[in-house]
Amino acid sequence: MIRVAPSLLAADYLNIGADICRMKEAGADWLHFDVMDGSFVPNITFGSDMARRAEACGLPVDAHLMVVNPEKHIDAFAKAGVKVITVHAEAVNHLHRVLQQIRAAGCLAGVALNPATSPECLRYVLGDFDLALVMTVNPGFGGQKLIPACIDKVSEVRGMLNRAGIKAIVEVDGGVNLETAPRLVAAGADMLVAGSALYGAADAKAFIETVKRQG
Ligand code: DX5
Ligand code: ZN
């Protein structure tokens, strides 16, 4: 089953609640919530208080923490009621410990990989996460073009999980549109984050249905 997570980054910030409802009605599965700290990535976005409000709109919140020292923020996001907390492998010194911390807080644990990061860094934590987030752009901005080499990484991550008999979610983030989605699904992705292409689509429901049909 293919699932779609609209990225709040591309929403209309003056009508954010209505925008989340619009995506829910269009068939979105999760709400992808991009947290940026101005340090791990150049931009600054939203924090855990905002996640609590977004969660109240009724879509499971998928918090993508593009921040340094994410371990300091896990409890706050868990208390805000988010479903998934994803940290960047590049942003933590002790990935195994942080993943355990996320699960102990009652959330699904995710690991995100920047485009230049090898999937090998997942090898010794394969049983310790519920979601691998393959970044197909450099994190920090919406509206970028997908980096084609990252599609191979999606296949590699899915292959590693399959060989280990682990059913974690493979999520892809960055440059997802109606042209790239089928290639990502063919490579093994089952959760697609969509920002600018989805919010810019004339018909969000048709966009989401088309992406889901790829599975
Ligand atoms: C980028 C964010 C993405 C972004 C995707 O740093 O993690 O979630 O919103 O936006 P699009 O779909 O426009 O590439
Ligand atoms: Zn993201």
Side-chain angles (χ1 to χ4, degrees), residues 7 9 32 34 36 64 66 135 139-143 173-175 193-196:
S7 167
L9 197 63
H32 186 78
D34 284 310
M36 304 186 187
H64 175 195
M66 289 165 274
M135 291 301 302
F141 305 94
D173 186 8
V193 176
S196 49

Side-chain angles (χ1 to χ4, degrees), residues 4 7 9 24 38 42 46 79 81 110 121 123-124 131 133 141 150 153-154 161 163 166 168-169 174 182 208 213:
V4 176
S7 167
L9 197 63
K24 192 177 168 195
F46 356 86
K79 282 199 185 102
C121 68
R123 182 166 302 282
Y124 297 101
L131 177 149
L133 173 54
F141 305 94
C150 297
K153 200 197 302 187
V154 174
L161 290 165
R163 283 189 294 277
I166 290 169
I169 295 164
I208 291 174
R213 269 202 302 273

Side-chain angles (χ1 to χ4, degrees), residues 153-213:
K153 200 197 302 187
V154 174
S155 311
E156 284 179 48
V157 170
R158 178 56 79 196
M160 284 171 82
L161 290 165
N162 285 350
R163 283 189 294 277
I166 290 169
K167 289 199 184 320
I169 295 164
V170 178
E171 184 176 44
V172 173
D173 186 8
V176 173
N177 56 38
L178 293 180
E179 188 268 317
T180 56
R183 296 158 66 200
L184 294 162
V185 170
D190 54 5
M191 174 69 73
L192 300 181
V193 176
S196 49
L198 172 55
Y199 279 89
D203 185 342
K205 190 166 191 278
F207 182 105
I208 291 174
E209 281 172 1
T210 306
V211 170
K212 288 187 176 187
R213 269 202 302 273

Side-chain angles (χ1 to χ4, degrees), residues 83 87 102 106 114 118 179 215:
K83 182 179 181 74
V87 297
I102 297 170
N114 279 340
S118 166
E179 188 268 317

Side-chain angles (χ1 to χ4, degrees), residues 26-202:
D29 297 280
W30 289 358
L31 180 70
H32 186 78
F33 191 87
D34 284 310
V35 182
M36 304 186 187
D37 67 351
S39 185
F40 183 70
V41 291
N43 261 336
I44 298 175
T45 56
F46 356 86
S48 57
D49 288 340
M50 175 86 161
R52 180 177 296 110
R53 305 309 301 271
E55 201 274 332
C57 290
L59 275 179
V61 174
D62 168 27
H64 175 195
L65 304 190
M66 289 165 274
V67 306
V68 295
N69 302 320
E71 63 279 1
K72 291 184 180 169
H73 306 285
I74 287 164
D75 286 349
F77 278 93
K79 282 199 185 102
V82 309
K83 182 179 181 74
V84 188
I85 299 178
T86 296
V87 297
H88 268 261
E90 307 84 3
V92 295
N93 289 326
H94 305 288
L95 181 58
H96 177 265
R97 179 185 295 155
V98 177
L99 294 173
Q100 288 181 313
Q101 189 187 344
I102 297 170
R103 282 182 167 175
C107 299
L108 297 181
V111 186
L113 304 180
N114 279 340
T117 300
S118 166
E120 272 305 307
C121 68
L122 300 177
R123 182 166 302 282
Y124 297 101
V125 288
L126 275 180
D128 300 303
F129 60 83
D130 306 288
L131 177 149
L133 173 54
V134 180
M135 291 301 302
T136 38
V137 298
N138 288 297
F141 305 94
Q144 303 178 80
K145 276 189 83 159
L146 176 139
I147 300 167
C150 297
I151 299 178
D152 290 344
K153 200 197 302 187
V154 174
S155 311
E156 284 179 48
V157 170
R158 178 56 79 196
M160 284 171 82
L161 290 165
N162 285 350
R163 283 189 294 277
I166 290 169
K167 289 199 184 320
I169 295 164
V170 178
E171 184 176 44
V172 173
D173 186 8
V176 173
N177 56 38
L178 293 180
E179 188 268 317
T180 56
R183 296 158 66 200
L184 294 162
V185 170
D190 54 5
M191 174 69 73
L192 300 181
V193 176
S196 49
L198 172 55
Y199 279 89

